[in-house]
Each structure stands twice: as structure tokens, then as C-alpha cells.
Amino acid sequence: MSENQDLQQGFLETVKFDEKGLVPAIVQDHETGKVLMMAWMNRESLEMTLERKQACYWSRSRQKLWLKGESSGNMQDVHDILIDCDGDTILLKVSQKGGACHVGYHSCFYRKAKDDLSMEICDTLMFDPEEVYGKKS
Amino acid sequence: MSENQDLQQGFLETVKFDEKGLVPAIVQDHETGKVLMMAWMNRESLEMTLERKQACYWSRSRQKLWLKGESSGNMQDVHDILIDCDGDTILLKVSQKGGACHVGYHSCFYRKAKDDLSMEICDTLMFDPEEVYGKKS
């Protein structure tokens, strides 16, 4: 594929949503490169993200638009949006306020496999989820 | 969730495969943090990756195990494997030989949205895919 062919379409036309109308979005700190989370977008949440420059996803569990940080205040300001060769994965480069993970860590990827296939914590707790989201009933 | 609860299970038991038996794997350069690609793993390819310390995926288009670099020589040596809070996304930290992308770029994320929603190239060509994979018929 030549460079020209690659850039023929606009960004939105290049995105291939899956059979559920969703595309995965990898979220990375724009300065450190740390991968913070992966979430899913439908077309509406992608358009909202492009317009507001704040990350907005589609919550598969709640089946609704989800402006990241709407409950926790931990918003993601979007610096760059990239798309992969197949058009079926998005990469957001963001400034993350507080922690990205609902468990309270900076990144959702806070557990690492050890050689014996047990796991260890490899990230920093940023907040107490009970304080931020309220106590689970 | 307490730290102890988080680490109660082993790594393999923590991975939640989707209804197709697959889990997405984000692939990141272990030194620079650059995100190189996203691919999918089934249980067999994940176990092979853990055993060989070389990235192995499930090719959804070819419906077969895919040892990354088997055609191109652009293998990925795996340094760390992380898992996210929900257990449904994996993060591989790798050393990438050559380019990760079949188009010839270092990363599959070689196109960036501009403000007017056209796109620009934001990565480096590493190889000519026709030389590596042969000319398309």
C-alpha cells in the first residue's frame, strides 16, 4: 500500500467498527508512553472524543456513553488520536488526571505475570475507590 | 478490591477470553513505551507466548496460530506480560525486531488524525513489504 493510498480517506471513514459497532481504543500517557487502559468506542463516542478532546467511550457493561472521569473526576485530555493499519484499533495519547483504573491504580495494567505464573503488583495506587465512587453495597 | 484478592488467582486463571475464546493483546516496546500493534490471542497462543517468551497470536483472518515474525523474521521477544483490572486485555512488553506492521512501518499506528480529520503519517518505514512477504498477485 503506498503512502498516498493510506491517506486517501479521512480519519472517520478509515475506522472499521466491529459487528457490534465498536472499536477498541488503547489509551497511553502522551508524555511517558505508559499504557493506562483499553476501552471501547462506538461512532458517537469517537465523534464526541474528537470534538471535545476528552476521552469518551461506550460502556459495554452499562450500555451507555461514558465520558471518562464523569464519576471520578479522572478525565483524560486527548492530545493525539492514531489508527492502526487495519483501521480496527485506535490509540489515544492523553493526559490522565489521577488514576485511570476504577480499582484505584494509575493504570489498569497493574498486575504482571511472574515466571511461576503467579502475579505481582507493578503499579501505584492513586486513590481509594470507595472514597471516589462510594462504598459498594 | 484488596491487593490480596487481586493476586489470589494465577495469571492464566485471571484471563477472561471473550465469546470467541480470544483476548486482545496490546504490544508495546519495552524500552521506549511505543505502542506497536494490537493482536488477539486464544489460550493456546497465550500459553505458547508464556512458554517461548516470543509473541504468538491467533490470526482471525487466517484462523490459525501465528508466531509473530514467522514470515517476516520480525519476531517479538517478550519481556513482561501484564493484565488489566477486568482480566480481559493483555499488555505485552517486547523487543521488536525490524517493524511490527505488515505495511512496513515500525508501528501499526503510523497514521494520526489531523484537526481537520484528514490523516498524516507519524512513523518510520522500516522495510518494503513486497521484499519481505513477496509481491501481491
Side-chain angles (χ1 to χ4, degrees), chain B residues 12-18 22-24 83 85-89:
Chain B
L12 276 170
E13 293 72 46
T14 304
V15 181
K16 287 186 196 130
F17 296 95
D18 69 9
L22 301 176
V23 65
I83 185 143
C85 46
D86 296 324
D88 61 5
T89 308

Side-chain angles (χ1 to χ4, degrees), chain A residues 12-72:
Chain A
L12 275 170
E13 293 72 46
T14 304
V15 181
K16 287 187 196 130
F17 296 95
D18 69 10
E19 66 278 7
K20 292 174 185 156
L22 301 176
V23 64
I26 301 165
V27 186
Q28 178 180 40
D29 183 284
H30 84 113
E31 282 184 338
T32 66
K34 184 172 179 177
V35 174
L36 299 170
M37 57 185 277
M38 195 188 86
W40 295 79
M41 289 181 164
N42 62 2
R43 193 179 168 98
E44 193 183 353
S45 61
L46 176 57
E47 286 176 344
M48 200 181 282
T49 300
L50 286 162
E51 200 183 304
R52 303 174 62 135
K53 308 272 186 200
Q54 288 190 316
C56 181
Y57 306 105
W58 176 255
S59 168
R60 295 179 302 167
S61 55
R62 291 177 285 147
Q63 289 284 304
K64 62 190 280 270
L65 281 179
W66 159 37
L67 178 65
K68 174 69 183 165
E70 62 192 353
S71 306
S72 63

Side-chain angles (χ1 to χ4, degrees), chain A residues 4 6 23-24 43 47 59 71 93 95 105-106 117 124 128:
Chain A
N4 286 343
D6 260 8
V23 64
R43 193 179 168 98
E47 286 176 344
S59 168
S71 306
K93 300 197 178 187
S95 300
Y105 287 94
H106 186 229
L117 296 190
T124 314
D128 177 350

Side-chain angles (χ1 to χ4, degrees), chain A residues 27 34-39 57 62 66 68-69 71-76 94-111 121-133 136, chain B residues 1-2 6 83-89:
Chain A
V27 186
K34 184 172 179 177
V35 174
L36 299 170
M37 57 185 277
M38 195 188 86
Y57 306 105
R62 291 177 285 147
W66 159 37
K68 174 69 183 165
S71 306
S72 63
N74 294 336
M75 316 289 287
Q76 293 171 338
V94 308
S95 300
Q96 172 71 56
K97 291 197 179 68
C101 181
H102 73 289
V103 178
Y105 287 94
H106 186 229
S107 166
C108 293
F109 298 93
Y110 60 87
R111 291 174 297 180
I121 299 289
C122 58
D123 199 24
T124 314
L125 260 181
M126 303 291 283
F127 62 87
D128 177 350
E130 286 194 358
E131 274 177 26
V132 169
Y133 300 107
K136 276 187 190 165
Chain B
M1 198 185 289
S2 79
D6 260 8
I83 185 143
D84 78 345
C85 46
D86 296 324
D88 61 5
T89 308

Side-chain angles (χ1 to χ4, degrees), chain B residues 27-121:
Chain B
V27 186
Q28 178 179 40
D29 183 284
H30 84 114
E31 282 185 337
T32 66
K34 184 172 179 178
V35 174
L36 299 171
M37 58 184 277
M38 196 188 85
W40 295 79
M41 289 182 164
N42 62 2
R43 193 179 168 98
E44 193 182 353
S45 61
L46 175 57
E47 286 175 344
M48 200 181 282
T49 300
L50 286 162
E51 200 183 303
R52 302 174 63 135
K53 308 272 187 200
Q54 288 190 316
C56 181
Y57 306 105
W58 176 254
S59 168
R60 295 179 303 168
S61 56
R62 290 177 285 147
Q63 289 284 304
K64 63 190 280 270
L65 281 179
W66 159 37
L67 177 65
K68 174 69 183 166
E70 63 192 352
S71 306
S72 63
N74 294 337
M75 315 289 287
Q76 293 171 339
D77 292 331
V78 176
H79 292 257
D80 282 311
I81 305 189
L82 287 72
I83 185 143
D84 78 345
C85 46
D86 296 324
D88 61 5
T89 308
I90 282 172
L91 174 61
L92 299 184
K93 300 196 178 188
V94 308
S95 300
Q96 172 70 56
K97 292 197 179 69
C101 181
H102 73 289
V103 178
Y105 288 94
H106 186 229
S107 166
C108 293
F109 298 92
Y110 61 87
R111 291 174 297 180
K112 188 164 90 165
K114 298 205 286 186
D115 281 343
D116 64 1
L117 297 189
S118 66
M119 297 190 294
E120 63 185 346
I121 299 289

